[in-house]
Amino acid sequence: MPREIQTQVLPEIAHSEVLLQEHCAKLLHESNANIQKIVVLKRSIDARQKTIKFNIKALVYFKGENFHEHKIELPAYNNVSNSREVIIVGAGPAGLFAALQLIELGLKPIVIERGKEVRGRRRDLKAINRDHLVHEDSNYCFGEGGAGTYSDGKLYTRSKKRGDVDRILQLLVGFGASPDILVEAHPHIGTNKLPQIIQDIREKIIACGGKVLFETRVIDFIVKSNEIQGVITQKGDIVSANKVILATGHSARDIFELLDKKKIVIEAKPFALGVRAEHPQELIDRIQYSCDFRGVYLPPAPYSIVKQVNGRGMYSFCMCPGGVIAPCATSPGEVVTNGWSPSKRDLSTANSGIVVELKLEDFKPYAKFGALAGMEFQKAIEQRAWQLAGSTQKVPAQRMVDFTHNTLSADIPKTSYVPGTTSVEMGQVFPGFLSQIMREGFKEFGKTMRGYLTNDAILHAPESRTSSPVRIPRDHETLEHIQIKGLYPCGEGAGYAGGIISAAIDGEKCALKIGEALS
């Protein structure tokens, strides 16, 4: 039997099979020649001490023991060409993984996606960056793969209780992701590699007899006697099925408005909102690693920080080491920021959303919108930012220390945000209470991370699409909507996920419940 070990090693040892084997031999008081193979199970960085080390959990195989290289294989997916059909609205991670799960169950998914296929999205992303043109159905949020495809591809989730995280990671490896995502504590695919994986998933769905309809926006639901019967698209086509998974993502405002108009129950949901802060990556490395140069064996440093300010949580969100800030508006007349990193995370800047928890009471000025009050609060800030920055895809920006002093920055250096920035005092963008919390919060951040509070850091506003401002309520057991039988609210847009992994898990859960209902 292989021996399982847990140990700490220097970065250069963690990155060398030869050195790691020598280390394990000494640790186990064995001859190096007697070790056949070291299989790393988990790897993480411990930067709490002066000497930075990697935590390693591994299996040590000795000579004579039975060792076989484990290859991740995809499930034996069924051919479902002639099977019962289930509609999936949205081809983000929730929708795609729901489709794969349905195929495993012998059901035929009909995936309806308002945006373009993953490669076709690139032209529209270029247009928003270069020409400030927002395509309402094809942008960083909408299109095959959803918001995560071109906004980083992070796979870390705290939602371990929601489902089988390892299963989702293994499926991603089966579709072409690096096996390293099974090992790293904070796995990440990268915006440059994720599109091919998404394309391969879609091709598998189609090869098994499923359908994927692009540039097809759902504009109505067919409901009779509180039971879903199908959907109507903007082309006037009717797609019929009495099981519909609604996986439209956190920015599908037209879907929220449609549900509200049809008096299908939805609820306002608290979310978080703030800015995206960009620092030089070298500065974050110095703060996190306590050294002038991180060297070749340490990755660009991330950070995670949480503070309580005036009874509110203020925290980092979707931190992107070695990454860039991207324009993520979904309609003309608004600006929205997000961040992403390439797989190597080798760019010169680090950015993170820095957001504040909102409460339902904050939405009272928009009470006339009922369940859409939070969405209107969100929209108003995005539209105000658009106006203040010049009515293009430029965003309001301010140096961090200047913001804490309520002082307009005399100049804004070039940042990674390609459409550009306009120097604006951020207090004009946000409600007063929110600006005050962020001002105090950044001062607290600076006490915890010495050097973080600096005018070399540039704030970009707003970071407003952290999660859905609406929850679409569903039955705890069946996962069906509490009012409409056969409608399964799913993923981030429905308020039941936060990121690629948790959305994929929720998609599988909804598919499994449909399988149970139809068995």
Side-chain angles (χ1 to χ4, degrees), residues 11 20 41 51 66 133 240 263 324 410 485:
L20 183 58
L41 302 175
T51 301
N66 191 17
L133 297 175
S240 298
K263 301 192 184 307
V324 302
K485 187 174 177 58

Side-chain angles (χ1 to χ4, degrees), residues 447-484:
K447 295 175 184 177
T448 299
M449 294 177 61
R450 300 289 181 181
Y452 184 89
L453 179 58
T454 170
N455 258 354
D456 289 336
I458 309 300
L459 307 181
H460 302 63
E463 168 72 66
S464 50
R465 306 286 179 94
T466 56
S467 67
S468 177
V470 167
R471 176 173 286 108
I472 307 174
R474 67 188 187 190
D475 182 87
H476 179 71
E477 292 298 324
T478 67
L479 304 189
E480 287 180 297
H481 187 271
I482 60 172
Q483 175 190 358
I484 307 300

Side-chain angles (χ1 to χ4, degrees), residues 47-279:
R48 293 172 295 178
Q49 306 300 323
K50 186 173 182 179
T51 301
I52 299 168
K53 294 186 177 180
F54 276 73
N55 298 312
I56 299 287
K57 180 181 179 182
L59 291 177
V60 180
Y61 286 84
F62 295 96
K63 292 288 177 64
E65 290 183 330
N66 191 17
F67 169 73
H68 293 288
E69 196 77 46
H70 179 58
K71 183 180 179 181
I72 301 293
E73 295 184 353
L74 293 173
Y77 290 114
N78 299 299
N79 187 307
V80 295
S81 301
N82 299 314
S83 300
R84 185 163 180 171
E85 296 180 347
V86 176
I87 294 171
I88 300 172
V89 186
L96 292 175
F97 278 82
L100 291 173
Q101 184 67 77
L102 288 171
I103 291 170
E104 281 195 69
L105 296 170
L107 298 169
K108 180 178 179 177
I110 308 295
V111 183
I112 303 176
E113 169 55 51
R114 70 192 298 161
K116 297 179 181 179
E117 50 84 22
V118 70
R119 304 291 179 187
R121 293 173 69 181
R122 288 179 172 171
R123 181 177 297 177
D124 297 314
L125 300 186
K126 186 176 182 180
I128 192 172
N129 276 290
R130 184 188 64 189
D131 304 320
H132 301 255
L133 297 175
V134 180
H135 190 309
E136 291 188 88
D137 287 326
S138 180
N139 44 61
Y140 276 96
C141 291
F142 297 148
E144 185 180 22
T149 302
Y150 288 107
S151 58
D152 207 48
K154 283 185 181 67
L155 303 177
Y156 176 64
T157 178
R158 294 184 177 89
S159 305
K160 300 291 178 70
K161 294 181 180 179
R162 291 186 179 179
D164 191 346
V165 172
D166 286 341
R167 171 180 158 84
I168 302 299
L169 294 176
Q170 288 172 7
L171 284 171
L172 286 167
V173 171
F175 280 104
S178 168
D180 286 346
I181 67 173
L182 302 173
V183 173
E184 300 297 341
H186 292 80
H188 168 257
I189 292 179
T191 298
N192 54 321
K193 292 189 174 183
L194 195 52
Q196 184 62 52
I197 295 168
I198 297 299
Q199 180 177 309
D200 289 347
I201 292 174
R202 176 236 305 165
E203 289 175 351
K204 174 62 73 173
I205 292 168
I206 294 172
C208 291
K211 289 185 179 180
V212 183
L213 309 176
F214 291 116
E215 298 182 67
T216 304
R217 179 161 29 94
V218 169
I219 62 167
D220 203 358
F221 301 108
I222 303 170
V223 178
K224 294 181 180 178
S225 302
N226 281 342
E227 291 189 20
I228 196 81
Q229 303 293 312
V231 301
I232 300 175
T233 75
Q234 92 277 20
K235 302 171 186 177
D237 296 329
I238 294 175
V239 185
S240 298
N242 62 3
K243 300 293 181 186
V244 175
I245 295 176
L246 188 59
T248 49
H250 59 40
S251 293
R253 289 172 172 165
D254 58 327
I255 293 294
F256 300 147
E257 290 168 345
L258 174 61
L259 292 169
D260 192 54
K261 180 181 177 181
K262 293 180 73 71
K263 301 192 184 307
I264 295 174
V265 176
I266 58 175
E267 303 167 347
K269 181 181 78 63
F271 58 103
L273 187 146
V275 298
R276 187 152 283 265
E278 181 170 275
H279 290 77

